[in-house]
């Protein structure tokens, strides 16, 4: 299976367990790997034969910015299920959500979740 990969989609989102964290917002970074057959697009050189990475990027931004979740697990799940629903040629999706500078004592670059979902 071929892959379309988007790394480091960043936005300010309002996700977190505490009310204060959801109100203040924070930086998030998302990586998405879509598994699909890219051979037709490779030969046709036509956008209609693939998935537009611009559209994938917009789906991630819309979900990350327009919604508020307590858990980054929920954010990742919503992104994965939406991508599978919107793009029927995608057979599998990997989503990694990183919460940059999470609200924890001390210094932590990020905390992340990674999930894999498929049509099967």
């Amino acid at each position: 299976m071929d892959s379309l990969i988007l790394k480091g989609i960043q936005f300010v989102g309002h996700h977190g367990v505490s009310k204060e964290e959801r109100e203040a917002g924070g930086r998030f970074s998302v990586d998405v790997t879509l598994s699909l057959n890219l051979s037709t697009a490779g030969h046709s050189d036509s956008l209609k034969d693939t998935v537009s990475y611009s559209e994938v990027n917009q789906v991630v931004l819309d979900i990350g910015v327009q919604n508020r979740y307590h858990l980054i697990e929920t954010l990742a799940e919503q992104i994965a299920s939406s991508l599978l629903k919107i793009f029927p040629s995608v057979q599998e999706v990997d989503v990694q959500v990183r919460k940059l500078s999470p609200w924890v004592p001390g210094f932590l670059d990020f905390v992340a979740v990674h999930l894999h979902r498929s049509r099967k």
Side-chain angles (χ1 to χ4, degrees), residues 75-87:
L75 175 59
E77 188 68 46
Q78 292 301 313
I79 291 169
S81 62
S82 293
L83 292 173
L84 286 170
K85 181 179 178 183
I86 293 168
F87 303 105

Side-chain angles (χ1 to χ4, degrees), residues 3-104:
S3 297
L4 177 64
I5 303 166
L6 286 79
K7 290 274 190 191
I9 303 168
Q10 294 192 24
F11 56 87
V12 172
H14 296 269
H15 313 289
V17 173
S18 73
K19 179 181 175 187
E20 296 78 20
E21 191 175 12
R22 286 190 309 280
E23 287 177 358
R27 290 183 48 232
F28 293 81
S29 180
V30 176
D31 298 336
V32 174
T33 301
L34 306 173
S35 297
L36 68 160
N37 186 335
L38 297 173
S39 62
T40 302
H43 289 93
S44 72
D45 197 30
S46 175
L47 183 58
K48 71 175 181 62
D49 294 325
T50 189
V51 169
S52 166
Y53 57 79
S54 179
E55 291 178 25
V56 172
N57 183 69
Q58 193 61 55
V59 169
V60 172
L61 291 176
D62 288 348
I63 293 169
V65 172
Q66 295 176 6
N67 299 286
R68 292 181 181 220
Y69 302 111
H70 288 102
L71 304 177
I72 59 175
E73 291 87 342
T74 307
L75 175 59
E77 188 68 46
Q78 292 301 313
I79 291 169
S81 62
S82 293
L83 292 173
L84 286 170
K85 181 179 178 183
I86 293 168
F87 303 105
S89 63
V90 173
Q91 298 304 304
E92 299 179 343
V93 62
D94 283 280
V95 175
Q96 180 170 297
V97 173
R98 285 181 300 282
K99 185 177 209 173
L100 307 175
S101 302
W103 289 31
V104 296

